[in-house]
Amino acid sequence: MIAAPEIPSEFTYTHDTDTRFSSDTDFSEDLDGRSANPTKGKGGKKGKKAAGEKGKGGKGAGRINGHHQENGMENMMLFEVVKLGRSAMQSVVDDWIESYKHDRDVALLDLINFFIQCSGCKGVVSGEMFRNMQNSEIIRRMTEEFDEDSGDYPLTIAGPQWKKFKSSFCEFISVLVRQCQYSIIYDEYMMDTVISLLTGLSDSQVRAFRHTSTLAAMKLMTALVNVALNLSINMDNTQRQYEAERNKMVAKRANDRLELLLQKRKELQENQDEIENMMNAIFKGVFVHRYRDSIAEIRAICIEEIGVWMKLYSDAFLNDSYLKYVGWTMHDKQGEVRLKCLTALQGLYYNRELNARLELFTSRFKDRIVSMTLDKEYDVAVQAIKLLTLVLNTDEVLTPEDCESVYHLVYSAHRPVAIAAGEFLFKKLFSQREPEEEGAPKRRGRQGPNANLIKTTVFFFLESELHEHAAYLVDSLWECGAELLKDWECMISLLLDDPLPGEEALTDRQETALIEIMLCTVRQAAECHPPVGRGTGKRVMTAKEKKTQLDDRTRMTELFAVALPPLLAKYAVDAEKVTNLLQLPQFFDLEIYTTGRLEKHLESLLRQIREIVEKHTDTEVLEACSKTYHALCNEEFTIFNRVDIARSQLLDELVDKFNRLLEDFLQEGEDADEDDAYQVLSTLKRITAFHNAHDLSGWDLFTSNFKLLNTGIENGDMPEQIVIHSLQCTHYVILWHLAKSSEGSSRKMSPSVLRLCIQSFNFCPLCFSFLLQAFTILCDLLLIFSHQMVSGGREHLEPLVYSPEDSLQSELLSFILNHVFIDQDEDTNNGQQDDEAVKIEALHKRRNLLAAYCKLIIYCVVEMKTGADIFKQYMRYYNDYGDIIKETMSKTRQIDKIQCAKTLILSLQQLFNEMLSELGHGFDRSSSAFCGIKELARRFSLTFGLDQVKTRDAIAMLHKDGIEFAFKDPSPQGEGGPPLNLAFLDILSEFSSKLMRQDKRTVHMYLERFMTFQMALQREDCWLPLISYRNSLQAGGDDDTMSVMSGYSSRGSSIRSKKTKPPAVTAGTSAAKRKLPEGISLSGIREKWRQQEEARQQQERAMNYAKLRTNLRRGTGLMEEDEEPIVEDVMMSSEGRMDDLNEGMDFDTMDIDLPPSKNRRERSELKPDYFDPASIMDESVFCVMPSLRKSQLSLCPTSFSKYQSCTKLCVTLWR
């Protein structure tokens, strides 16, 4: 029994229960609440009238179906009113209550039909059925009349009309109980009938009944919990009034009032007992069985509502007897249900006063909650982290290991998960701040309150050992710790100022981390969007966000314009620190240099950048300097002239020095020493880095670089790095000239520059790094100067279009085959140590090479047929390049489906020829090489998808080429022997399932053109591929039951039977009742069956061979992502299984004291361990009550009529 707990005096309830009246309030009651209605509590139950009670005549004047004909709602039943959701729900309920007071049987019949109709059933419960049939019989009748062709019902139908149905349905139940809470729900008739009906429907095998009734029962339970809480508050108030009156002096004590208060408390206790019985019945009759239903939506409803009960009425429901259900269900297989568990628990942990009652639950299920932070469903992981953040309110519950498992999620690529982890980290590590003394001056810099917190951030970043992800860490902490992260004054002070007495100075590693974090915070504040790889698309910023962005840019510019020059001077020799510091000006508001009179700091910054360029040769540092100059050289600002002069002076010196050094270097030739080569290389590095971001066409760098590369090609002894940077610089020259030409210049560019790269392609064949750079640049140039450069109104660039010759295409393909598709052990990478890091780096380079070449295929720069040599490597190098090859196949199919299919079959033919040359024509078809080709063909067939109409022509062309290849070469055994490539038909049969029915006949006819009469009679093993392929074309040739149409689900494809089940049909008659496709006669089918029976013996050997190859294929280890989806209906009855699963279970939560209902099964009870998920959440439990529609019990014979014969492929396709 639910006890009547003591409610704290400060508890406030939203409803004024002492003065509020409902539409069911009987004003003949006395003030003490005693009813003067002599019929209360004497009504009949289970849908029948009490003995001797007769129903009243009609529904009364002006009422139809128990509703007033008002507000344009004439002739509308409850379902229609709730479906429209236009009128106030309270007025609808008030109308029904008036109808119930007038004739409760008619009103209850309306309510019963309301629940039936809300389930999507078109059947109607008549008055005679209501009076003479039990609920189980009514439900059985409604199940038979569940006449609906689709699997949708009001709770699942999409569309604007049904968008608000669920909320209106739930609101109706809530308002109904609230308006009836003072008398009607205690008449032992209305609630008993409704609960009995919903309990029976929730046990139905029809999903619509079960889903709708479970939702109704759970919302009914929630409404009753509100009523119980209301009664508990009234009982407490009455008890306090009684105690106050009894404690008065005898002379002032009113005995009549004491008696009145005792009577009122007694009646409230009786009402609470009745409410408890109702809740007992719903909980044990519906919840206990439906929280483990096979349908995830139903399980989610149960868990969501029990969370509401525990939060709303914690004194009654917040105990281990109810928490165990939430704990068990956290192991649910569906993310939707696990999500409801976590949101329910969040409502409980949010109230710190309830933490004491959650201790046992927390200790038992803490590990499960921590593991859910890595849930495959991101929404579940986010809520699990938020729940653990609330658990932090409980002292010493989470161990350091638990916290560390959440800390690393701040680096997650999924932003909501990272932000939730950031909030957890901030609350755990940064919530403790040093208290500031009142009246004391505000401390700044390294003496400020954020100094230690910033150090803690640096320590955490270093200890996480993910030093390349500072931007992710900053983004994770931005929403909860932006004030801390934007304390740039403190960061600058930590870097420039000397440490305080007794304070430990930052180490070099810590300073590097702090500078990187500082750069990330500046970028986040200036750009206001997450880092690359974590963004969810651009969003429009609000006015407040724009103002914050402008304020932050102004403040950061004022701070760093002054602090950046001394920071660069201090760390000038440290390449990593300087690279990060030089990126800060890219986010400045450059107008501040003028308005703030900071020109002297700009001069200081330009001097520091020039010194850094002269000191460093590191590519990253030089590129950072180049980008900084590019950011400062903005013509919109007044500082442009000053920066442009400094940049020009620097470039003049660099180019002059390079030309002078290059001339000396080329003159010395073989006598040039390493120092001369280093001087040329360092100067060339600086020029190349600047040419990337700046137009240096005025310095004529092409001539000097061409001379350098030409000398290297002729002599063959040019240092590798000089050639690489010279080639890169030449590449930039070409791109800048092209950019100028695109602006409108009609000057024709000679293709000699491009041919230079082509010539240098064969240079230094032993240097893999050079080949990598040359190949990548060459592919980029071929793509840029392809036929697509004239699109978009750039027809004047047509003279620059360059199409690679066949010889160049052949060289590019050979390079890919020789340098990409190699084993890891073969790639020694110039003798470097064969460790894991080197292997990963080498693989990354090879992937870049393959991606560069595949882009040429996708954009039709090279012929698509060259992709055959790439596609045939799909299986062998799946782990290394599978994603690139698969995406290339997808893109080529979008360009030209037929040509893509011809390329795929060409790749299979190439592999087949390679196998023949290796094994000979007498190879074993069970060999690993042949099975590998068959598996590759199966993978290719899966990439065509399920829509046979879209790929019809491509699949047909693929079979045409495959058949021609199989019969192309004569038999090596002479006349009468099988063709050399006949075994290829076995590979080709993998694509037969992708053919449409009528196309199978056409392909079979085309196959017979190549066959002689003797071939059709052959039965030797060598002819089995032909027999197998012919069988694959004949399978499904007369019906289309094997094809799977996209867009259909198992739920929507079934057709519900109507009222009575059709008689069972035998195998002999079922085929005769099918609607025959057009053009096929019954006699023709019988003749074909006769021929097939005669050929049965000859086909047995082919079928055995097919089984053998199927077994071989299944043993090769398939990759799940290429598998076709399997659509199946699970039809399982709950009868019989529930008794086994529930045997021995004893729920010690509440006792049921409700008369038994004949439409509910008698259940024995389960008694698992309270917190043992294995006892309740195993594999079989989730299959206890699967969705089952009546239509699945029989198949309508006319369902085959939807497959009609389509137009055959034109015979000329094969010619």
Side-chain angles (χ1 to χ4, degrees):
M1 298 290 288
I2 295 181
E6 294 291 337
I7 302 296
S9 59
E10 67 272 15
F11 183 90
T12 58
Y13 190 60
T14 56
H15 304 298
D16 187 1
T17 57
D18 292 334
T19 60
R20 176 167 181 164
F21 295 99
S22 178
S23 54
D24 74 325
T25 305
D26 194 343
F27 287 96
S28 62
E29 295 181 357
D30 296 332
L31 292 178
D32 60 352
R34 290 176 292 179
S35 175
N37 185 359
T39 63
K40 178 184 177 183
K42 297 181 181 180
K45 302 177 183 178
K46 314 299 179 290
K48 295 184 178 181
K49 291 185 179 181
E53 180 178 350
K54 296 181 179 180
K56 298 183 181 180
K59 296 182 181 180
R63 303 177 67 84
I64 293 194
N65 292 327
H67 301 285
H68 289 292
Q69 300 183 32
E70 298 176 354
N71 302 324
M73 294 293 181
E74 294 86 350
N75 299 324
M76 281 193 177
M77 294 189 297
L78 282 174
F79 173 72
E80 297 295 333
V81 176
V82 173
K83 173 184 173 182
L84 293 176
R86 296 175 182 173
S87 59
M89 200 59 66
Q90 185 164 338
S91 63
V92 176
V93 172
D94 290 344
D95 289 345
W96 183 87
I97 292 175
E98 289 299 323
S99 175
Y100 184 85
K101 291 179 179 179
H102 182 73
D103 190 331
R104 64 182 187 178
D105 283 348
V106 174
L108 267 180
L109 185 59
D110 282 348
L111 191 60
I112 291 173
N113 280 314
F114 167 72
F115 289 118
I116 296 297
Q117 291 172 337
C118 288
S119 301
C121 179
K122 294 182 174 61
V124 178
V125 180
S126 63
E128 182 180 357
M129 295 169 60
F130 179 64
R131 289 190 297 269
N132 300 325
M133 297 175 64
Q134 295 292 334
N135 282 341
S136 58
E137 298 172 355
I138 294 175
I139 295 172
R140 187 178 300 111
R141 179 72 61 85
M142 292 297 102
T143 302
E144 295 173 355
E145 296 183 2
F146 208 102
D147 182 16
E148 188 174 352
D149 294 337
S150 70
D152 292 327
Y153 47 94
L155 288 181
T156 60
I157 296 177
Q161 185 179 6
W162 302 96
K163 187 176 182 180
K164 297 183 179 180
F165 176 79
K166 181 178 179 180
S167 59
S168 299
F169 177 70
C170 298
E171 183 185 1
F172 173 79
I173 296 174
S174 178
V175 175
L176 178 64
V177 175
R178 189 177 69 232
Q179 296 298 99
C180 297
Q181 65 177 316
Y182 296 106
S183 64
I184 293 181
I185 62 174
Y186 304 113
D187 66 359
E188 299 182 1
Y189 183 65
M190 189 270 279
M191 290 299 294
D192 289 358
T193 305
V194 171
I195 292 175
S196 180
L197 172 71
L198 294 179
T199 305
L201 289 174
S202 69
D203 211 20
S204 172
Q205 293 181 349
V206 179
R207 169 177 175 166
F209 278 149
R210 205 164 70 252
H211 187 182
T212 308
S213 61
T214 301
L215 176 61
M218 294 298 98
K219 292 298 180 180
L220 184 64
M221 178 78 167
T222 302
L224 290 176
V225 170
N226 275 307
V227 175
L229 183 59
N230 192 351
L231 291 172
S232 177
I233 295 173
N234 284 338
M235 288 182 63
D236 290 341
N237 293 336
T238 304
Q239 181 67 26
R240 284 195 296 269
Q241 294 174 9
Y242 176 78
E243 294 293 339
E245 189 68 28
R246 191 180 62 176
N247 292 335
K248 291 181 180 179
M249 298 176 59
V250 178
K252 295 182 179 181
R253 184 184 303 166
N255 293 327
D256 294 340
R257 180 170 174 78
L258 286 175
E259 183 180 354
L260 183 66
L261 291 172
L262 285 174
Q263 184 64 28
K264 183 177 180 180
R265 188 180 64 176
K266 180 180 179 182
E267 183 172 348
L268 290 173
Q269 183 63 51
E270 292 175 356
N271 290 344
Q272 190 176 43
D273 291 342
E274 290 192 32
I275 295 296
E276 289 174 3
N277 290 334
M278 299 174 195
M279 292 191 296
N280 289 336
I282 296 175
F283 186 82
K284 297 192 68 176
V286 180
F287 178 89
V288 167
H289 303 284
R290 296 282 68 79
Y291 89 96
R292 52 184 183 175
D293 195 279
S294 66
I295 305 301
E297 294 90 335
I298 299 177
R299 302 197 299 272
I301 290 171
C302 294
I303 297 303
E304 182 180 13
E305 294 305 314
I306 196 175
V308 174
W309 307 338
M310 290 187 290
K311 181 180 179 181
L312 187 64
Y313 199 178
S314 57
D315 291 324
F317 289 95
L318 188 56
N319 53 62
D320 298 333
S321 299
Y322 296 97
L323 284 169
K324 64 181 180 182
Y325 297 106
V326 181
W328 288 338
T329 317
M330 283 196 296
H331 297 267
D332 197 285
K333 296 180 180 179
Q334 296 297 323
E336 176 187 359
V337 184
R338 300 194 299 272
L339 185 63
K340 294 297 182 182
C341 294
L342 295 172
T343 52
L345 291 173
Q346 287 176 15
L348 302 177
Y349 281 97
Y350 184 79
N351 188 352
R352 297 192 178 187
E353 297 179 355
L354 304 178
N355 288 345
R357 303 182 186 180
L358 294 167
E359 289 182 357
L360 179 59
F361 176 86
T362 304
S363 62
R364 175 60 182 86
F365 287 102
K366 180 198 63 175
D367 294 339
R368 173 56 184 162
I369 298 173
V370 172
S371 67
M372 292 174 76
T373 59
L374 300 176
D375 198 284
K376 64 179 181 180
E377 300 288 343
Y378 286 123
D379 293 340
V380 177
V382 170
Q383 298 305 323
I385 298 171
K386 290 183 177 180
L387 178 58
L388 290 176
T389 305
L390 294 175
V391 174
L392 287 176
N393 297 330
T394 307
D395 296 334
E396 299 180 359
V397 172
L398 298 179
T399 63
E401 292 76 14
D402 297 333
C403 295
E404 289 176 1
S405 63
V406 182
Y407 290 161
H408 76 277
L409 294 177
V410 296
Y411 299 104
S412 172
H414 191 262
R415 192 163 190 262
V417 172
I419 290 176
E423 294 176 356
F424 180 90
L425 175 65
F426 189 82
K427 185 174 182 179
K428 180 67 176 177
L429 299 182
F430 306 135
S431 58
Q432 303 296 331
R433 291 174 177 250
E434 296 180 2
E436 295 187 12
E437 299 179 2
E438 296 184 2
K442 187 175 181 181
R443 295 176 296 171
R444 291 180 175 274
R446 67 187 311 138
Q447 298 181 4
N450 290 332
N452 289 331
L453 299 181
I454 292 176
K455 290 181 180 180
T456 304
T457 306
V458 173
F459 299 155
F460 173 81
F461 176 59
L462 293 175
E463 290 176 0
S464 62
E465 297 181 355
L466 293 171
H467 310 303
E468 298 179 1
H469 298 78
Y472 278 20
L473 174 62
V474 169
D475 182 57
S476 302
L477 296 172
W478 193 257
E479 292 191 3
C480 57
E483 180 183 357
L484 168 66
L485 296 175
K486 289 192 290 189
D487 193 351
W488 297 304
E489 185 178 358
C490 181
M491 297 180 186
I492 294 172
S493 177
L494 289 173
L495 292 170
L496 292 178
D497 297 345
D498 296 331
L500 299 174
E503 180 184 6
E504 186 177 355
L506 294 177
T507 63
D508 180 72
R509 186 163 173 257
Q510 292 170 354
E511 288 178 339
T512 302
L514 177 56
I515 292 175
E516 185 176 357
I517 292 174
M518 182 174 65
L519 170 63
C520 295
T521 59
V522 169
R523 180 188 293 113
Q524 187 88 4
E527 297 179 348
C528 292
H529 64 74
V532 177
R534 192 183 269 184
T536 56
K538 294 184 178 180
R539 66 179 185 89
V540 179
M541 292 191 298
T542 63
K544 182 179 180 181
E545 290 174 338
K546 291 181 179 179
K547 183 179 182 304
T548 302
Q549 181 187 26
L550 293 175
D551 294 343
D552 289 340
R553 289 193 66 185
T554 301
R555 192 167 67 89
M556 77 173 64
T557 305
E558 293 173 348
L559 288 172
F560 286 104
V562 178
L564 184 56
L567 285 172
L568 290 174
K570 180 177 180 180
Y571 301 108
V573 296
D574 194 317
E576 186 175 0
K577 295 184 178 69
V578 166
T579 302
N580 288 327
L581 290 173
L582 285 171
Q583 297 180 46
L584 293 175
Q586 301 175 24
F587 310 104
F588 285 179
D589 181 4
L590 299 180
E591 192 66 28
I592 302 297
Y593 275 110
T594 304
T595 59
R597 297 186 178 183
L598 302 175
E599 290 86 352
K600 63 177 182 179
H601 297 287
L602 177 62
E603 293 290 345
S604 178
L605 175 62
L606 294 175
R607 285 196 304 271
Q608 290 297 329
I609 296 177
R610 182 187 180 93
E611 292 178 4
I612 291 173
V613 172
E614 295 173 352
K615 289 180 180 178
H616 288 271
T617 59
D618 187 80
T619 303
E620 293 184 357
V621 176
L622 295 175
E623 288 182 352
C625 294
S626 175
K627 292 178 181 179
T628 303
Y629 271 115
H630 183 268
L632 296 175
C633 287
N634 193 329
E635 297 181 0
E636 298 179 359
F637 301 99
T638 56
I639 65 172
F640 169 73
N641 292 331
R642 187 173 301 183
V643 179
D644 185 51
I645 292 173
R647 178 186 62 174
S648 300
Q649 291 175 353
L650 175 62
L651 291 175
D652 285 338
E653 294 180 5
L654 289 176
V655 174
D656 292 343
K657 181 180 179 181
F658 173 69
N659 291 330
R660 186 177 63 257
L661 291 173
L662 179 62
E663 185 177 356
D664 297 339
F665 179 74
L666 295 179
Q667 288 180 355
E668 293 178 2
E670 297 180 357
D671 298 332
D673 55 11
E674 295 182 0
D675 185 62
D676 295 336
Y678 176 78
Q679 291 294 331
V680 173
L681 175 61
S682 60
T683 307
L684 184 59
K685 277 186 176 182
R686 297 183 179 101
I687 294 176
T688 304
F690 273 86
H691 207 351
N692 187 12
H694 304 270
D695 183 12
L696 306 185
S697 302
W699 282 271
D700 190 20
L701 293 171
F702 174 74
T703 303
S704 56
N705 279 280
F706 179 81
K707 184 187 300 184
L708 177 62
L709 288 173
N710 193 35
T711 304
I713 293 174
E714 292 177 355
N715 300 333
D717 58 352
M718 190 67 66
E720 171 191 340
Q721 291 299 319
I722 292 180
V723 174
I724 290 176
H725 286 86
S726 180
L727 197 60
Q728 189 68 51
C729 186
T730 306
H731 178 55
Y732 292 146
V733 170
I734 297 173
L735 296 183
W736 278 109
H737 277 289
L738 179 60
K740 284 188 174 182
S741 300
S742 301
E743 294 174 357
S745 175
S746 59
R747 182 170 58 90
K748 181 178 179 180
M749 179 187 296
S750 173
S752 60
V753 177
L754 183 61
R755 299 183 187 279
L756 170 65
C757 294
I758 298 172
Q759 294 174 358
S760 62
F761 173 73
N762 294 321
F763 174 69
C764 194
L766 299 179
C767 178
F768 176 76
S769 298
F770 170 74
L771 288 178
L772 170 65
Q773 193 77 10
F775 183 85
T776 304
I777 292 175
L778 180 59
C779 290
D780 290 343
L781 290 175
L782 289 175
L783 187 62
I784 292 171
F785 287 90
S786 65
H787 57 87
Q788 300 189 29
M789 73 181 301
V790 299
S791 60
R794 296 191 296 265
E795 289 78 7
H796 62 280
L797 296 178
E798 186 173 357
L800 300 179
V801 174
Y802 179 83
S803 298
E805 298 86 356
D806 293 340
S807 59
L808 177 59
Q809 294 187 33
S810 177
E811 290 184 22
L812 292 174
L813 180 60
S814 299
F815 179 85
I816 287 294
L817 297 179
N818 295 331
H819 294 86
V820 174
F821 296 106
I822 58 176
D823 294 334
Q824 189 73 41
D825 297 336
E826 297 178 8
D827 185 17
T828 57
N829 202 8
N830 291 335
Q832 295 184 28
Q833 294 182 354
D834 191 17
D835 56 9
E836 194 67 25
V838 173
K839 288 183 177 180
I840 294 175
E841 181 64 23
L843 176 61
H844 179 67
K845 292 179 180 179
R846 294 196 298 270
R847 284 176 58 87
N848 288 338
L849 293 175
L850 180 61
Y853 183 78
C854 288
K855 284 191 294 184
L856 300 181
I857 300 176
I858 293 172
Y859 288 97
C860 302
V861 178
V862 298
E863 296 182 4
M864 189 180 296
K865 65 179 182 181
T866 59
D869 293 278
I870 306 297
F871 297 160
K872 69 182 182 182
Q873 310 289 345
Y874 180 61
M875 287 292 298
R876 182 178 179 184
Y877 295 96
Y878 182 86
N879 293 333
D880 294 340
Y881 318 115
D883 55 338
I884 300 176
I885 299 176
K886 190 173 183 179
E887 183 66 18
T888 305
M889 286 191 288
S890 176
K891 294 296 184 182
T892 53
R893 185 175 292 112
Q894 295 175 14
I895 297 172
D896 190 338
K897 294 183 177 64
I898 294 179
Q899 188 61 36
C900 177
K902 294 172 73 69
T903 305
L904 292 178
I905 199 67
L906 177 61
S907 65
L908 295 174
Q909 293 170 4
Q910 292 177 357
L911 287 175
F912 187 83
N913 289 330
E914 293 174 4
M915 182 193 66
L916 284 180
S917 62
E918 181 180 353
L919 302 180
H921 66 276
F923 65 92
D924 185 5
R925 287 190 296 274
S926 63
S927 63
S928 59
F930 186 76
C931 292
I933 301 176
K934 281 183 58 63
E935 177 63 18
L936 179 61
R938 188 187 72 85
R939 293 301 184 84
F940 285 168
S941 69
L942 292 178
T943 62
F944 283 94
L946 299 177
D947 195 338
Q948 296 178 333
V949 177
K950 290 183 178 180
T951 61
R952 181 182 183 184
D953 295 339
I955 292 294
M957 185 60 66
L958 185 148
H959 280 272
K960 173 181 177 297
D961 290 354
I963 293 173
E964 293 175 352
F965 175 78
F967 291 93
K968 179 178 65 173
D969 298 329
S971 172
Q973 302 174 2
E975 187 177 357
L980 179 64
N981 301 332
L982 185 67
F984 189 78
L985 293 178
D986 202 1
I987 299 172
L988 192 60
S989 63
E990 295 292 340
F991 299 92
S992 298
S993 61
K994 298 300 179 181
L995 284 167
M996 298 184 68
R997 178 191 57 190
Q998 53 269 36
D999 295 345
K1000 287 184 178 180
R1001 300 196 196 101
T1002 307
V1003 172
H1004 188 268
M1005 293 172 57
Y1006 187 74
L1007 175 65
E1008 290 179 344
R1009 293 185 181 183
F1010 294 85
M1011 294 175 55
T1012 62
F1013 179 76
Q1014 289 78 11
M1015 290 183 182
L1017 300 179
Q1018 297 296 332
R1019 297 295 176 268
E1020 288 81 4
D1021 290 345
C1022 59
W1023 295 93
L1024 284 180
L1026 176 61
I1027 300 173
S1028 175
Y1029 183 57
R1030 292 184 65 191
N1031 290 339
S1032 68
L1033 296 178
Q1034 294 173 355
D1038 296 324
D1039 59 81
D1040 208 13
T1041 57
M1042 295 179 62
S1043 63
V1044 182
M1045 303 301 293
S1046 61
Y1048 284 86
S1049 64
S1050 60
R1051 184 177 68 181
S1053 61
S1054 61
I1055 301 178
R1056 297 187 180 278
S1057 57
K1058 301 178 182 268
K1059 293 190 178 182
T1060 57
K1061 299 179 181 178
V1065 238
T1066 62
T1069 61
S1070 61
K1073 291 185 179 181
R1074 297 178 183 175
K1075 182 177 179 180
L1076 295 176
E1078 296 178 7
I1080 300 180
S1081 62
L1082 186 61
S1083 60
I1085 294 179
R1086 291 174 178 171
E1087 177 64 21
K1088 188 171 184 178
W1089 285 351
R1090 185 184 63 79
Q1091 295 175 359
Q1092 291 178 350
E1093 180 63 21
E1094 292 177 353
R1096 182 176 60 83
Q1097 295 294 335
Q1098 67 186 37
Q1099 292 178 358
E1100 283 183 355
R1101 298 175 66 188
M1103 297 304 296
N1104 291 335
Y1105 172 68
K1107 291 180 181 179
L1108 173 62
R1109 62 189 181 86
T1110 300
N1111 293 334
L1112 290 172
R1113 181 178 69 190
R1114 293 293 179 246
T1116 57
L1118 308 182
M1119 281 165 275
E1120 297 178 358
E1121 63 181 76
D1122 287 335
E1123 293 288 353
E1124 295 183 18
I1126 298 177
V1127 181
E1128 60 180 357
D1129 258 332
V1130 183
M1131 296 187 293
M1132 189 180 299
S1133 173
S1134 62
E1135 303 250 4
R1137 292 180 176 269
M1138 288 295 295
D1139 296 335
D1140 297 335
L1141 288 169
N1142 294 337
E1143 183 177 359
M1145 185 171 188
D1146 184 13
F1147 295 98
D1148 58 349
T1149 53
M1150 293 186 287
D1151 297 325
I1152 293 182
D1153 188 14
L1154 196 66
S1157 173
K1158 295 183 179 181
N1159 69 313
R1160 286 166 50 203
R1161 304 190 188 98
E1162 294 296 329
R1163 296 182 177 89
S1164 30
E1165 309 289 350
L1166 262 196
K1167 192 174 183 180
D1169 176 40
Y1170 271 162
F1171 300 120
D1172 183 12
S1175 64
I1176 196 68
M1177 306 307 292
D1178 58 351
E1179 182 76 23
S1180 61
V1181 168
F1182 283 100
C1183 298
V1184 170
M1185 291 293 295
S1187 171
L1188 179 63
R1189 297 181 218 91
K1190 186 175 181 295
S1191 61
Q1192 294 170 332
L1193 302 179
S1194 60
L1195 181 62
C1196 179
T1198 61
S1199 62
F1200 294 96
S1201 64
K1202 65 178 180 178
Y1203 300 108
Q1204 302 295 330
S1205 177
C1206 301
T1207 306
K1208 292 185 178 180
L1209 285 178
C1210 182
V1211 178
T1212 57
L1213 175 65
W1214 308 118
R1215 298 176 181 173

